[in-house]
Amino acid sequence: MDKVATVRNAGRRIVRAAQYLRMSKEHQTYSIDNQKDAIRNYADIMGYDIVATYEDAGRSGLNLGGRPGLQQMLADVESGRAEFETVVVYDVSRWGRFQNIDESAAYEYRCQMAGVRIEFCAEQFANDGSVGSDVLKAIKRSMAAEHSRMLSQKTFIGQARLIRLGFRQGGKPGLGLRRQIMDHSGRPKLILSEHEQKSVHTDRTILVPGPPEEVATVRWIFRQFVKTHMRELEMARLLNKRGVLTDLGRPWKRETVRGVLTNEKYVGTNVWNKRSRKLKAKAVNNPPEQWVRAEGAFEPIVDRKLFERAQVIHKTLYSHMSVTNEEMLAALKKVLARRGALSTSIIDAAPDCPAASLYHHRFGSLLKSYELIGYQPPRNWQFVTSKKRLASVRTQAIEDLLAAIGRAGGKAAYDRESDVFRINDEFTVAIEIARCCASDYGYPFWSLDTQRQSLADIFTLIRMSPGDLVIRDYLIAPMSEIIGKSELRAHNGAQLDTYLFPTLTPLTRLAERASAENILWA
């Protein structure tokens, strides 16, 4: 006879209960299996029948975000769908390590108001609402929160120590640099590729010079900037015209040029903690006095005197970067009074006004900046601005592709009437761009119209990321595979997703020319 039947025969009412399980990456004591065992034993003693399980494996307990198990449980309880009257949790820390203990209490209170009790099977108090129980529970909540704060502080101290020793702590190496593993005795091991991570806990990572062509590009950027005082946007356009890509294989933008010109890693200095996000709080920019630095940590690829001259010039050209929010809005008002209207191009063209991208960074969006100075843009402003930006991205992608095909020995001609490209007089390519839209349920999708381009052999769609500021990927597929389709989703099945690529390189390879001699000897 099973245990539930034994309890029933003893005349006790069977209580339908759910179990909530959570584990981050802390300690084996809190493994999901251990929690299940403890809850099962507790349920046997109490006469509970576990009818539902909510689980957050590998999830932080600092907040509700990122915990679908707890969110689903709260939704079921408050909607009346829950077929249980009690939720059993291993202990208070598994419920959460909320930094505000009132938040922890709030979620428990929401369950209680819906008629569902929360019980902690491993705690030495009964969660019965008595004064003693509430006091002990409040202490436990504070201890759970303090544990996370202490762990965060210890982690920070350890990471800062490694930075001062010259080791890298996360992040992409950047153009012209690569990550190299060092073993526990300081001997160099292999160079990591883009998506590789170290596998031995005691190994450390340093930065070393990357491919010669990338190093040459970085040095050229600094020399060109110091020599010509060229603006970042002009530098980005020049790099794109030359067919040079960033370390991520993308076209250059104003921000990526600035990221190279102002980064001290190129002179061998290890800098960390410029920006931090502790305990799942909002990320903040830290003042320079909180940065952790180590000079001479890496082999430099840019001369220090050249780097310092570049910083002086950059500071002079972009002195407005340090202006206050009030000064930025005042400058925007002056431009509005002078021009009578505002747009990204108008702002960027004004020499006495910060760049439009800085307003987006400071205030969250350009539209918010307009609201703060009382400017009401035309009703179709956002659509027109987005359309112009997408057209510019498409034009830039086409120019980059044509340049890459030329370097590969191929040739491409544009037929303005049909809006398609003929490559090597062999096949045609249609290139379109699609903004990222969201469905009623929040899932992204991209609309496409293949009717106008039905004469092309290959259809290429540039898919933008949410916000339509960054390219997500490229669909490069035979027209026969997508004709008649009206939209793409994030996941479209293996047959169609096979044609998704991070760059337009597949088209370049199709256009490559090889000499007859190489073909004969291949």
Side-chain angles (χ1 to χ4, degrees):
M1 185 179 295
D2 61 24
K3 296 177 181 177
V4 173
T6 301
V7 173
R8 184 181 292 111
N9 292 338
R12 296 173 59 183
R13 183 176 72 89
I14 298 299
V15 175
R16 296 173 64 84
Q19 59 180 345
Y20 174 71
L21 315 166
R22 185 189 68 81
M23 179 185 69
S24 55
K25 297 179 181 178
E26 303 171 5
H27 196 275
Q28 188 63 27
T29 301
Y30 292 121
S31 74
I32 295 296
D33 288 337
N34 285 351
Q35 293 176 57
K36 286 182 178 179
D37 290 343
I39 291 174
R40 183 168 54 250
N41 292 335
Y42 178 83
D44 289 343
I45 294 173
M46 300 298 294
Y48 291 173
D49 183 13
I50 302 297
V51 298
T53 298
Y54 299 91
E55 182 176 317
D56 283 320
R59 303 284 182 168
S60 168
L62 291 171
N63 53 37
L64 185 63
R67 294 171 67 180
L70 183 56
Q71 293 177 25
Q72 186 62 54
M73 191 200 78
L74 291 172
D76 290 347
V77 167
E78 294 183 316
S79 66
R81 294 192 302 266
E83 297 181 352
F84 48 83
E85 55 190 279
T86 296
V87 175
V88 183
V89 188
Y90 180 75
D91 64 10
V92 171
S93 71
R94 298 306 89 201
W95 182 251
R97 296 189 184 277
F98 302 98
Q99 295 305 288
N100 185 338
I101 63 174
D102 290 339
E103 182 179 1
S104 177
Y107 299 134
E108 184 178 339
Y109 178 72
R110 286 167 57 179
C111 292
Q112 291 174 352
M113 290 298 293
V116 176
R117 285 171 37 82
I118 305 298
E119 297 185 25
F120 304 104
C121 69
E123 297 290 5
Q124 300 301 311
F125 60 84
N127 194 19
D128 55 5
S130 64
V131 174
S133 172
D134 287 346
V135 169
L136 287 174
K137 187 164 54 175
I139 293 173
K140 286 284 189 175
R141 286 171 177 158
S142 298
M143 290 172 61
E146 183 62 22
H147 172 84
S148 293
R149 286 192 287 267
M150 292 177 62
L151 184 61
S152 175
Q153 183 64 20
K154 290 178 180 178
T155 301
F156 178 86
I157 293 172
Q159 290 177 313
R161 175 179 174 275
L162 292 175
I163 289 294
R164 294 188 181 97
L165 291 175
F167 297 118
R168 184 76 171 171
Q169 288 293 297
K172 294 187 178 296
L175 188 72
L177 297 169
R178 292 294 185 270
R179 298 169 299 148
Q180 183 174 54
I181 292 181
M182 310 290 288
D183 67 16
H184 67 282
S185 60
R187 289 175 298 191
K189 296 171 68 175
L190 74 157
I191 302 291
L192 293 172
S193 62
E194 181 179 357
H195 299 293
E196 289 182 331
Q197 301 291 333
K198 65 175 187 172
S199 58
V200 180
H201 179 70
T202 55
D203 285 348
R204 302 300 176 204
T205 307
I206 65 170
L207 293 183
V208 295
E213 61 273 14
E214 290 190 17
V215 174
T217 297
V218 172
R219 291 171 178 169
W220 179 87
I221 290 174
F222 277 94
R223 288 196 299 266
Q224 189 74 5
F225 181 72
V226 170
K227 179 180 179 181
T228 65
H229 295 196
M230 187 181 294
R231 293 270 177 172
E232 294 165 346
L233 185 58
E234 297 174 9
M235 181 77 73
R237 289 171 176 168
L238 181 57
L239 287 164
N240 291 332
K241 187 175 182 180
R242 293 177 55 164
V244 179
L245 296 176
T246 68
D247 57 306
L248 300 178
R250 299 171 182 169
W252 289 82
K253 298 191 296 184
R254 183 204 314 263
E255 292 78 12
T256 46
V257 172
R258 182 183 305 145
V260 171
L261 286 172
T262 59
N263 204 313
E264 294 182 75
K265 64 186 176 184
Y266 291 113
V267 290
T269 300
N270 201 11
V271 183
W272 181 70
N273 200 42
K274 284 186 174 183
R275 186 174 173 83
S276 61
R277 183 171 182 260
K278 296 181 179 179
L279 298 174
K280 302 294 183 179
K282 184 179 179 181
V284 296
N285 294 318
N286 297 319
E289 56 268 21
Q290 293 184 12
W291 298 356
V292 182
R293 305 169 54 85
E295 296 188 3
F298 315 125
E299 178 183 347
I301 63 174
V302 173
D303 179 74
R304 179 167 286 278
K305 290 184 179 179
L306 177 64
F307 181 85
E308 291 175 350
R309 288 175 61 191
Q311 303 319 298
V312 172
I313 295 170
H314 193 276
K315 187 175 182 180
T316 301
L317 290 176
Y318 297 97
S319 58
H320 59 264
M321 295 289 288
S322 59
V323 299
T324 64
N325 291 354
E326 291 73 19
E327 291 171 333
M328 288 181 62
L329 295 175
L332 199 61
K333 286 182 179 179
K334 290 181 180 178
V335 176
L336 176 60
R338 187 167 63 244
R339 296 294 299 272
L342 292 174
S343 68
T344 300
S345 57
I346 291 175
I347 295 171
D348 286 341
D352 56 344
C353 187
S357 59
L358 186 58
Y359 284 96
H360 188 281
H361 176 73
R362 287 281 187 94
F363 301 104
S365 70
L366 202 53
L367 190 59
K368 182 63 176 179
S369 306
Y370 292 168
E371 292 176 0
L372 292 174
I373 64 171
Y375 172 62
Q376 182 66 41
R379 294 183 64 180
N380 64 341
W381 171 82
Q382 284 184 302
F383 176 78
V384 172
T385 301
S386 176
K387 188 174 181 180
K388 287 182 177 179
R389 183 171 61 249
L390 291 177
S392 176
V393 172
R394 177 179 182 265
T395 300
Q396 187 63 59
I398 290 173
E399 291 177 355
D400 294 342
L401 175 63
L402 295 180
I405 289 175
R407 291 194 301 272
K411 63 177 183 178
Y414 174 59
D415 185 342
R416 188 176 299 276
E417 183 176 349
S418 61
D419 195 21
V420 299
F421 296 84
R422 179 167 292 279
I423 312 298
N424 295 336
D425 291 326
E426 295 173 348
F427 59 91
T428 55
V429 178
I431 300 179
E432 296 297 333
I433 190 167
R435 59 169 46 90
C436 182
C437 304
S439 69
D440 293 339
Y441 298 97
Y443 296 109
F445 71 92
W446 296 261
S447 298
L448 65 153
D449 180 9
T450 59
Q451 297 300 320
R452 190 167 61 89
Q453 308 291 1
S454 58
L455 297 178
D457 298 313
I458 297 176
F459 182 80
T460 299
L461 182 70
I462 305 171
R463 298 203 307 177
M464 302 299 291
S465 296
D468 298 325
L469 297 176
V470 179
I471 294 176
R472 172 192 174 105
D473 54 25
Y474 302 84
L475 174 76
I476 306 174
M479 183 61 72
S480 59
E481 292 289 337
I482 60 169
I483 195 72
K485 289 183 171 58
S486 60
E487 66 181 34
L488 294 180
R489 299 285 179 171
H491 302 287
N492 308 279
Q495 183 176 354
L496 199 56
D497 286 347
T498 302
Y499 297 109
L500 292 174
F501 301 92
T503 67
L504 291 173
T505 301
L507 289 177
T508 305
R509 290 177 177 170
L510 286 174
E512 284 180 349
R513 289 302 196 188
S515 67
E517 180 180 357
N518 290 340
I519 294 174
L520 290 173
W521 285 98

